[in-house]
Amino acid sequence: MRKRLVSILTVLLTLTIALSGCAGRKAGDSSKIVVGIPQDLEDSLDPHKAVAAGTREVLFNVFEGLLKPDENGELIPAVAESYTASEDGLVYTFKLRDGVKFHNGNRVTAEDVKYSIEKSAGMTGEESLIAAFSNIKEVNITDKDTVEIVLNERDVDFPAYIASVGAAVIPADNANPDTMPVGTGPYKYVSRSPQENIIMTRFDDYWGEPAHIANVEFRIEANNDAMILALKGGTIDMCARISASQTSQLSNTFTVYEGSMNLVQALYLNHNVAPFDDIRVRQALCYAADKQEIIDIAFDGKGSPLGSSMFPAFGKYFMPELTDTYTPDLSKARELLKEAGYPDGFDMTITVPSNYQPHVDTAQVLVEQFKRIGVNATIQQVEWNTWLSDVYANRQYESTVIGVDASQLTANAMLGRFYSKAEDNFTNYSNPEYDKLFEEAQVTIDDDKRTELYKKMETLLAEDAANVYIQDMAEFVPLAGKLDGYVFYPLYVQDIAKLYFKEQ
Amino acid sequence: MRYIGKKLITMLVTVLIVTLLVFFAFRVIPGDPAVNMLGIKATPEKVERLREQMGLNRPLIIRYLEWLKDFFFGDMGKSYSYGSSVSDMLKSKIPITVALTLISFLFVIAIAIPLGIHTAKHEDKWYSKVLDVLNQIMMSVPPFFIGMLLTYLFGIILRWFTPGGYVSYRDSFAGFISYLILPSLAIAIPKAAMTNKLLKSSLLKESRLDYVRTAYSRGNSTSEVLYKHVLKNAMIPVITFLGMTLADIVAGSLIVEQVFSIPGIGRLLITSISNRDYPVVQAIITIIACIVILNNFIVDVLYKMIDPRISR
């Protein structure tokens, strides 16, 4: 009896070991890469409905608009070959590129473009997610490869909206864009499995330079730590946006690219809640918060400190001098608090979405820094969904640490939300002077003058201490040693088509 | 037959109560699926329009009854966040969780029953005491912790498997099953320890009864007495326990899936809860409830077959 038991157990154990051994992936598969992503695309695959940045960065490989952004943030022609704007800025005429094909093999026609723009603009009854598209009056087909878009009001940023994934060109006759996406991009969609992966394959009839790597799997990992484990184990070849401390866990078989996340991380303050309606209190918090200390403690020293709602990738709009509007100065901070009537400080709550560890870490450092001026802050961690509804949509909060990014490379994408009537003004910032500048910028055509206005708005936000600005966070992209060719975009994008295998 | 009929009605009522609870539970927790879908594009006007489109503004009771009707006819609705039909999504997930559950269950039986018999037989040996202590420890460690230990030992130190390197059953069935072995062990170990303990004490209790002495006096050997008489009686409480264990394993697998990054029902359920993806959550919970209830029903029937006195 005992013998038999022992032999059963031995067999079981050997089986466990033997079978576990073969679970690894075949090495040297040179036609496929696996990209790890830290969250699923819990979203529709219809580009016009996809909201999450995480979805858009993946769909960037499948879809294109009439125009698309390049890695410098410039708009380059995609489905359209060229475009012109009328003198009054109300009519944009797009000439379609010859021979652009959809993944289903059909040619892109002017009807497809009209359908796509109208669908994306909500003219077919669906909800439009691109606010600027409510400005579209009509879409006309002038001849078989020319489409003209007529606007209600002049909008200099219109081409930038046309270049976003949300304005992608899709076939007019597709049956089910939610689950069977068809686009014109370098990769075509193959399949998806919720919480598991999304698989794409190279589109061989792509109009532009074709992708180098034939097959791509975006694998969904439970979180960043699981992603590091998977990188180490070799089940994924690359991932984006890991922290400095996580890169140090990786061996040197990985090439680590350093870039920035292109967002403005700040302690955003609700201006409708006392005492944050008082500029002296906000300034006191700005003087108390030491950006560099936060970056050193919570981010291993990697990150670019900021002083207003604009990040360096914006080039001409970015004003580096604003970073030092408030340098750490505790006595000034205490002074200001006393003037504002809070000589002993006050209590405040910082609401942070618990799934973003970097923001939680930042909040923890802030709590300690605010203690130095007697301000007693407590951190309230909430689920992302709760953050969205309570903080963002309903504006029921005192302060929150979050990163705000730009969905298009337009100054409005960053600065528009501080216009007092803006729908997405979640900080309730309201300043008549700012509003005047904003309204003026919308109708100014001359680019230099416009840039000047936007710079004034940035300066105003900094001087007003609208929020406690912290940094543009550093991001690290580890790439398996066999790969090369990663490029950063100033937008939330993963361009897989540019990756290639190194010559061995 | 009347027994089974009565059971069936109770089952139906239980499922109904579960669906009702799930449906109304979401009214109590904060969060709104429309806000989640819109993300940072959410403005009060857009949220309102989307809620209207999604039918979230209709009375709760009407939505519940409609859902119930559709579910009854096999239509589980469309996921809010994925935009695809819930039944399609579950079709690819259920085999994973079922495989994990079944392998774990097999492990429980394969480990606990031989071990229980063996230790009961050799209760006075020195190593039985050691096994008892080990058993006690194993009983009290939660599966996710064992999972983490196994990952650390086999994945990071010994490198026998790749943590997070889940292989889909569509790619390689052998790879799929072998990846599930460690997670199954993690789920099975505490349950096996409990079953072992129960079986052992049940065997020891039975073996002190009069009929055992009679069997011995008829000239049967120890093995004959054990396998022909004692084991059958001693198994009655064990079978009930195994039935309950199966339900526990389903729950345990939901958690262990997180530890081993297995894209089964558990991961889908948890993300769907945080996304307020009601149709998915309702479908999954209802299905799990049905599995558990059906399982209990089978145990009841089995129980009755072994011991006919029970129906009375």
Side-chain angles (χ1 to χ4, degrees), chain B residues 7-8 10-18 247 286-300:
Chain B
K7 276 273 165 199
L8 275 174
T10 346
M11 276 164 65
L12 261 177
V13 174
T14 319
V15 173
L16 269 181
I17 292 174
V18 169
T286 312
I287 288 171
I288 292 177
C290 287
I291 292 174
V292 171
I293 290 166
L294 198 71
N295 166 58
N296 290 351
F297 174 69
I298 293 171
V299 171
D300 280 346

PDB file of all heavy atoms in Angstrom, chain B residues 7-8 10-18 247 286-300:
ATOM      1  N   LYS B   7     -36.358  19.775  -4.173  1.00  0.00           N
ATOM      2  CA  LYS B   7     -35.011  20.355  -4.281  1.00  0.00           C
ATOM      3  C   LYS B   7     -34.928  21.323  -5.458  1.00  0.00           C
ATOM      4  O   LYS B   7     -34.341  22.401  -5.357  1.00  0.00           O
ATOM      5  CB  LYS B   7     -33.978  19.240  -4.463  1.00  0.00           C
ATOM      6  CG  LYS B   7     -33.532  18.633  -3.175  1.00  0.00           C
ATOM      7  CD  LYS B   7     -32.374  19.417  -2.593  1.00  0.00           C
ATOM      8  CE  LYS B   7     -32.178  19.037  -1.135  1.00  0.00           C
ATOM      9  NZ  LYS B   7     -31.400  20.027  -0.405  1.00  0.00           N
ATOM     10  N   LEU B   8     -35.511  20.889  -6.578  1.00  0.00           N
ATOM     11  CA  LEU B   8     -35.440  21.701  -7.797  1.00  0.00           C
ATOM     12  C   LEU B   8     -36.078  23.071  -7.584  1.00  0.00           C
ATOM     13  O   LEU B   8     -35.543  24.090  -8.001  1.00  0.00           O
ATOM     14  CB  LEU B   8     -36.127  20.979  -8.959  1.00  0.00           C
ATOM     15  CG  LEU B   8     -35.259  19.974  -9.712  1.00  0.00           C
ATOM     16  CD1 LEU B   8     -36.079  19.219 -10.748  1.00  0.00           C
ATOM     17  CD2 LEU B   8     -34.068  20.649 -10.371  1.00  0.00           C
ATOM     18  N   THR B  10     -36.470  24.678  -4.714  1.00  0.00           N
ATOM     19  CA  THR B  10     -35.596  25.488  -3.850  1.00  0.00           C
ATOM     20  C   THR B  10     -34.446  26.072  -4.659  1.00  0.00           C
ATOM     21  O   THR B  10     -34.046  27.224  -4.458  1.00  0.00           O
ATOM     22  CB  THR B  10     -34.966  24.630  -2.724  1.00  0.00           C
ATOM     23  OG1 THR B  10     -35.652  23.407  -2.658  1.00  0.00           O
ATOM     24  CG2 THR B  10     -34.971  25.360  -1.429  1.00  0.00           C
ATOM     25  N   MET B  11     -33.911  25.253  -5.590  1.00  0.00           N
ATOM     26  CA  MET B  11     -32.795  25.723  -6.396  1.00  0.00           C
ATOM     27  C   MET B  11     -33.179  26.957  -7.205  1.00  0.00           C
ATOM     28  O   MET B  11     -32.463  27.952  -7.230  1.00  0.00           O
ATOM     29  CB  MET B  11     -32.355  24.620  -7.370  1.00  0.00           C
ATOM     30  CG  MET B  11     -31.399  23.632  -6.765  1.00  0.00           C
ATOM     31  SD  MET B  11     -31.288  22.158  -7.769  1.00  0.00           S
ATOM     32  CE  MET B  11     -30.569  22.786  -9.257  1.00  0.00           C
ATOM     33  N   LEU B  12     -34.344  26.843  -7.847  1.00  0.00           N
ATOM     34  CA  LEU B  12     -34.808  27.951  -8.685  1.00  0.00           C
ATOM     35  C   LEU B  12     -34.961  29.229  -7.867  1.00  0.00           C
ATOM     36  O   LEU B  12     -34.508  30.306  -8.271  1.00  0.00           O
ATOM     37  CB  LEU B  12     -36.136  27.587  -9.325  1.00  0.00           C
ATOM     38  CG  LEU B  12     -36.047  27.099 -10.764  1.00  0.00           C
ATOM     39  CD1 LEU B  12     -37.415  26.688 -11.270  1.00  0.00           C
ATOM     40  CD2 LEU B  12     -35.452  28.194 -11.653  1.00  0.00           C
ATOM     41  N   VAL B  13     -35.582  29.089  -6.700  1.00  0.00           N
ATOM     42  CA  VAL B  13     -35.796  30.256  -5.850  1.00  0.00           C
ATOM     43  C   VAL B  13     -34.454  30.861  -5.444  1.00  0.00           C
ATOM     44  O   VAL B  13     -34.262  32.085  -5.479  1.00  0.00           O
ATOM     45  CB  VAL B  13     -36.621  29.863  -4.607  1.00  0.00           C
ATOM     46  CG1 VAL B  13     -36.722  31.031  -3.641  1.00  0.00           C
ATOM     47  CG2 VAL B  13     -38.005  29.409  -5.033  1.00  0.00           C
ATOM     48  N   THR B  14     -33.495  29.994  -5.112  1.00  0.00           N
ATOM     49  CA  THR B  14     -32.181  30.502  -4.713  1.00  0.00           C
ATOM     50  C   THR B  14     -31.548  31.304  -5.846  1.00  0.00           C
ATOM     51  O   THR B  14     -31.019  32.401  -5.630  1.00  0.00           O
ATOM     52  CB  THR B  14     -31.245  29.329  -4.350  1.00  0.00           C
ATOM     53  OG1 THR B  14     -31.994  28.376  -3.612  1.00  0.00           O
ATOM     54  CG2 THR B  14     -30.063  29.813  -3.567  1.00  0.00           C
ATOM     55  N   VAL B  15     -31.594  30.755  -7.071  1.00  0.00           N
ATOM     56  CA  VAL B  15     -30.999  31.468  -8.213  1.00  0.00           C
ATOM     57  C   VAL B  15     -31.668  32.834  -8.380  1.00  0.00           C
ATOM     58  O   VAL B  15     -30.998  33.851  -8.554  1.00  0.00           O
ATOM     59  CB  VAL B  15     -31.141  30.644  -9.515  1.00  0.00           C
ATOM     60  CG1 VAL B  15     -30.688  31.467 -10.710  1.00  0.00           C
ATOM     61  CG2 VAL B  15     -30.327  29.377  -9.427  1.00  0.00           C
ATOM     62  N   LEU B  16     -32.996  32.853  -8.257  1.00  0.00           N
ATOM     63  CA  LEU B  16     -33.723  34.118  -8.392  1.00  0.00           C
ATOM     64  C   LEU B  16     -33.258  35.128  -7.365  1.00  0.00           C
ATOM     65  O   LEU B  16     -33.023  36.299  -7.679  1.00  0.00           O
ATOM     66  CB  LEU B  16     -35.219  33.869  -8.225  1.00  0.00           C
ATOM     67  CG  LEU B  16     -35.971  33.566  -9.511  1.00  0.00           C
ATOM     68  CD1 LEU B  16     -37.440  33.355  -9.219  1.00  0.00           C
ATOM     69  CD2 LEU B  16     -35.806  34.721 -10.508  1.00  0.00           C
ATOM     70  N   ILE B  17     -33.107  34.652  -6.115  1.00  0.00           N
ATOM     71  CA  ILE B  17     -32.694  35.575  -5.059  1.00  0.00           C
ATOM     72  C   ILE B  17     -31.294  36.114  -5.353  1.00  0.00           C
ATOM     73  O   ILE B  17     -31.025  37.303  -5.192  1.00  0.00           O
ATOM     74  CB  ILE B  17     -32.748  34.874  -3.681  1.00  0.00           C
ATOM     75  CG1 ILE B  17     -34.208  34.590  -3.337  1.00  0.00           C
ATOM     76  CG2 ILE B  17     -32.109  35.740  -2.605  1.00  0.00           C
ATOM     77  CD1 ILE B  17     -34.405  33.789  -2.087  1.00  0.00           C
ATOM     78  N   VAL B  18     -30.422  35.228  -5.835  1.00  0.00           N
ATOM     79  CA  VAL B  18     -29.064  35.677  -6.148  1.00  0.00           C
ATOM     80  C   VAL B  18     -29.089  36.766  -7.218  1.00  0.00           C
ATOM     81  O   VAL B  18     -28.471  37.822  -7.071  1.00  0.00           O
ATOM     82  CB  VAL B  18     -28.181  34.491  -6.612  1.00  0.00           C
ATOM     83  CG1 VAL B  18     -26.866  35.003  -7.178  1.00  0.00           C
ATOM     84  CG2 VAL B  18     -27.919  33.549  -5.464  1.00  0.00           C
ATOM     85  N   ALA B 247     -17.433  23.821  -4.572  1.00  0.00           N
ATOM     86  CA  ALA B 247     -17.935  25.193  -4.645  1.00  0.00           C
ATOM     87  C   ALA B 247     -16.872  26.177  -4.181  1.00  0.00           C
ATOM     88  O   ALA B 247     -16.664  27.233  -4.788  1.00  0.00           O
ATOM     89  CB  ALA B 247     -19.187  25.328  -3.787  1.00  0.00           C
ATOM     90  N   THR B 286     -24.471  34.956 -11.869  1.00  0.00           N
ATOM     91  CA  THR B 286     -25.591  34.028 -11.992  1.00  0.00           C
ATOM     92  C   THR B 286     -25.080  32.638 -12.396  1.00  0.00           C
ATOM     93  O   THR B 286     -25.533  31.625 -11.870  1.00  0.00           O
ATOM     94  CB  THR B 286     -26.602  34.544 -13.027  1.00  0.00           C
ATOM     95  OG1 THR B 286     -26.864  35.907 -12.740  1.00  0.00           O
ATOM     96  CG2 THR B 286     -27.883  33.756 -12.995  1.00  0.00           C
ATOM     97  N   ILE B 287     -24.128  32.614 -13.312  1.00  0.00           N
ATOM     98  CA  ILE B 287     -23.612  31.308 -13.741  1.00  0.00           C
ATOM     99  C   ILE B 287     -22.900  30.607 -12.597  1.00  0.00           C
ATOM    100  O   ILE B 287     -23.106  29.420 -12.349  1.00  0.00           O
ATOM    101  CB  ILE B 287     -22.671  31.487 -14.952  1.00  0.00           C
ATOM    102  CG1 ILE B 287     -23.509  31.844 -16.179  1.00  0.00           C
ATOM    103  CG2 ILE B 287     -21.886  30.210 -15.218  1.00  0.00           C
ATOM    104  CD1 ILE B 287     -22.699  32.245 -17.367  1.00  0.00           C
ATOM    105  N   ILE B 288     -22.085  31.369 -11.849  1.00  0.00           N
ATOM    106  CA  ILE B 288     -21.387  30.749 -10.718  1.00  0.00           C
ATOM    107  C   ILE B 288     -22.398  30.229  -9.703  1.00  0.00           C
ATOM    108  O   ILE B 288     -22.285  29.104  -9.204  1.00  0.00           O
ATOM    109  CB  ILE B 288     -20.409  31.743 -10.058  1.00  0.00           C
ATOM    110  CG1 ILE B 288     -19.262  32.042 -11.024  1.00  0.00           C
ATOM    111  CG2 ILE B 288     -19.854  31.177  -8.758  1.00  0.00           C
ATOM    112  CD1 ILE B 288     -18.280  33.065 -10.515  1.00  0.00           C
ATOM    113  N   ALA B 289     -23.416  31.042  -9.431  1.00  0.00           N
ATOM    114  CA  ALA B 289     -24.442  30.619  -8.478  1.00  0.00           C
ATOM    115  C   ALA B 289     -25.099  29.328  -8.965  1.00  0.00           C
ATOM    116  O   ALA B 289     -25.321  28.395  -8.179  1.00  0.00           O
ATOM    117  CB  ALA B 289     -25.490  31.715  -8.307  1.00  0.00           C
ATOM    118  N   CYS B 290     -25.393  29.266 -10.265  1.00  0.00           N
ATOM    119  CA  CYS B 290     -26.016  28.052 -10.805  1.00  0.00           C
ATOM    120  C   CYS B 290     -25.093  26.849 -10.621  1.00  0.00           C
ATOM    121  O   CYS B 290     -25.552  25.769 -10.246  1.00  0.00           O
ATOM    122  CB  CYS B 290     -26.319  28.228 -12.290  1.00  0.00           C
ATOM    123  SG  CYS B 290     -27.708  29.321 -12.585  1.00  0.00           S
ATOM    124  N   ILE B 291     -23.795  27.052 -10.883  1.00  0.00           N
ATOM    125  CA  ILE B 291     -22.859  25.935 -10.748  1.00  0.00           C
ATOM    126  C   ILE B 291     -22.847  25.433  -9.304  1.00  0.00           C
ATOM    127  O   ILE B 291     -22.951  24.245  -9.033  1.00  0.00           O
ATOM    128  CB  ILE B 291     -21.433  26.360 -11.175  1.00  0.00           C
ATOM    129  CG1 ILE B 291     -21.397  26.630 -12.679  1.00  0.00           C
ATOM    130  CG2 ILE B 291     -20.410  25.282 -10.804  1.00  0.00           C
ATOM    131  CD1 ILE B 291     -20.088  27.182 -13.171  1.00  0.00           C
ATOM    132  N   VAL B 292     -22.761  26.386  -8.366  1.00  0.00           N
ATOM    133  CA  VAL B 292     -22.696  26.004  -6.957  1.00  0.00           C
ATOM    134  C   VAL B 292     -23.976  25.291  -6.535  1.00  0.00           C
ATOM    135  O   VAL B 292     -23.947  24.240  -5.877  1.00  0.00           O
ATOM    136  CB  VAL B 292     -22.445  27.249  -6.082  1.00  0.00           C
ATOM    137  CG1 VAL B 292     -22.604  26.913  -4.613  1.00  0.00           C
ATOM    138  CG2 VAL B 292     -21.063  27.801  -6.355  1.00  0.00           C
ATOM    139  N   ILE B 293     -25.098  25.827  -6.969  1.00  0.00           N
ATOM    140  CA  ILE B 293     -26.370  25.235  -6.557  1.00  0.00           C
ATOM    141  C   ILE B 293     -26.538  23.847  -7.170  1.00  0.00           C
ATOM    142  O   ILE B 293     -26.941  22.891  -6.501  1.00  0.00           O
ATOM    143  CB  ILE B 293     -27.524  26.172  -6.952  1.00  0.00           C
ATOM    144  CG1 ILE B 293     -27.473  27.421  -6.059  1.00  0.00           C
ATOM    145  CG2 ILE B 293     -28.862  25.490  -6.803  1.00  0.00           C
ATOM    146  CD1 ILE B 293     -28.325  28.538  -6.565  1.00  0.00           C
ATOM    147  N   LEU B 294     -26.159  23.727  -8.432  1.00  0.00           N
ATOM    148  CA  LEU B 294     -26.258  22.440  -9.113  1.00  0.00           C
ATOM    149  C   LEU B 294     -25.360  21.415  -8.436  1.00  0.00           C
ATOM    150  O   LEU B 294     -25.728  20.256  -8.220  1.00  0.00           O
ATOM    151  CB  LEU B 294     -25.824  22.620 -10.571  1.00  0.00           C
ATOM    152  CG  LEU B 294     -26.260  21.508 -11.511  1.00  0.00           C
ATOM    153  CD1 LEU B 294     -27.753  21.590 -11.733  1.00  0.00           C
ATOM    154  CD2 LEU B 294     -25.522  21.615 -12.832  1.00  0.00           C
ATOM    155  N   ASN B 295     -24.189  21.885  -8.067  1.00  0.00           N
ATOM    156  CA  ASN B 295     -23.221  21.050  -7.386  1.00  0.00           C
ATOM    157  C   ASN B 295     -23.781  20.530  -6.060  1.00  0.00           C
ATOM    158  O   ASN B 295     -23.707  19.339  -5.763  1.00  0.00           O
ATOM    159  CB  ASN B 295     -21.956  21.891  -7.210  1.00  0.00           C
ATOM    160  CG  ASN B 295     -20.993  21.290  -6.233  1.00  0.00           C
ATOM    161  OD1 ASN B 295     -20.563  20.173  -6.429  1.00  0.00           O
ATOM    162  ND2 ASN B 295     -20.680  22.018  -5.192  1.00  0.00           N
ATOM    163  N   ASN B 296     -24.402  21.440  -5.297  1.00  0.00           N
ATOM    164  CA  ASN B 296     -24.992  21.015  -4.026  1.00  0.00           C
ATOM    165  C   ASN B 296     -26.090  19.982  -4.250  1.00  0.00           C
ATOM    166  O   ASN B 296     -26.240  19.034  -3.479  1.00  0.00           O
ATOM    167  CB  ASN B 296     -25.565  22.218  -3.282  1.00  0.00           C
ATOM    168  CG  ASN B 296     -24.464  23.119  -2.780  1.00  0.00           C
ATOM    169  OD1 ASN B 296     -23.291  22.745  -2.844  1.00  0.00           O
ATOM    170  ND2 ASN B 296     -24.821  24.287  -2.311  1.00  0.00           N
ATOM    171  N   PHE B 297     -26.812  20.206  -5.336  1.00  0.00           N
ATOM    172  CA  PHE B 297     -27.896  19.285  -5.661  1.00  0.00           C
ATOM    173  C   PHE B 297     -27.335  17.887  -5.938  1.00  0.00           C
ATOM    174  O   PHE B 297     -27.837  16.884  -5.421  1.00  0.00           O
ATOM    175  CB  PHE B 297     -28.637  19.837  -6.886  1.00  0.00           C
ATOM    176  CG  PHE B 297     -29.693  18.925  -7.428  1.00  0.00           C
ATOM    177  CD1 PHE B 297     -30.859  18.686  -6.712  1.00  0.00           C
ATOM    178  CD2 PHE B 297     -29.521  18.295  -8.650  1.00  0.00           C
ATOM    179  CE1 PHE B 297     -31.837  17.857  -7.209  1.00  0.00           C
ATOM    180  CE2 PHE B 297     -30.490  17.467  -9.156  1.00  0.00           C
ATOM    181  CZ  PHE B 297     -31.657  17.232  -8.429  1.00  0.00           C
ATOM    182  N   ILE B 298     -26.265  17.828  -6.728  1.00  0.00           N
ATOM    183  CA  ILE B 298     -25.659  16.536  -7.052  1.00  0.00           C
ATOM    184  C   ILE B 298     -25.161  15.848  -5.788  1.00  0.00           C
ATOM    185  O   ILE B 298     -25.348  14.653  -5.589  1.00  0.00           O
ATOM    186  CB  ILE B 298     -24.527  16.719  -8.080  1.00  0.00           C
ATOM    187  CG1 ILE B 298     -25.127  17.168  -9.414  1.00  0.00           C
ATOM    188  CG2 ILE B 298     -23.738  15.430  -8.270  1.00  0.00           C
ATOM    189  CD1 ILE B 298     -24.112  17.594 -10.438  1.00  0.00           C
ATOM    190  N   VAL B 299     -24.557  16.664  -4.899  1.00  0.00           N
ATOM    191  CA  VAL B 299     -24.080  16.090  -3.645  1.00  0.00           C
ATOM    192  C   VAL B 299     -25.237  15.482  -2.859  1.00  0.00           C
ATOM    193  O   VAL B 299     -25.164  14.361  -2.361  1.00  0.00           O
ATOM    194  CB  VAL B 299     -23.360  17.159  -2.801  1.00  0.00           C
ATOM    195  CG1 VAL B 299     -23.052  16.623  -1.416  1.00  0.00           C
ATOM    196  CG2 VAL B 299     -22.096  17.606  -3.496  1.00  0.00           C
ATOM    197  N   ASP B 300     -26.340  16.206  -2.788  1.00  0.00           N
ATOM    198  CA  ASP B 300     -27.510  15.703  -2.064  1.00  0.00           C
ATOM    199  C   ASP B 300     -27.956  14.358  -2.610  1.00  0.00           C
ATOM    200  O   ASP B 300     -28.252  13.427  -1.866  1.00  0.00           O
ATOM    201  CB  ASP B 300     -28.669  16.704  -2.190  1.00  0.00           C
ATOM    202  CG  ASP B 300     -28.503  17.847  -1.206  1.00  0.00           C
ATOM    203  OD1 ASP B 300     -27.657  17.695  -0.298  1.00  0.00           O
ATOM    204  OD2 ASP B 300     -29.190  18.864  -1.354  1.00  0.00           O
TER     205      ASP B 300
END
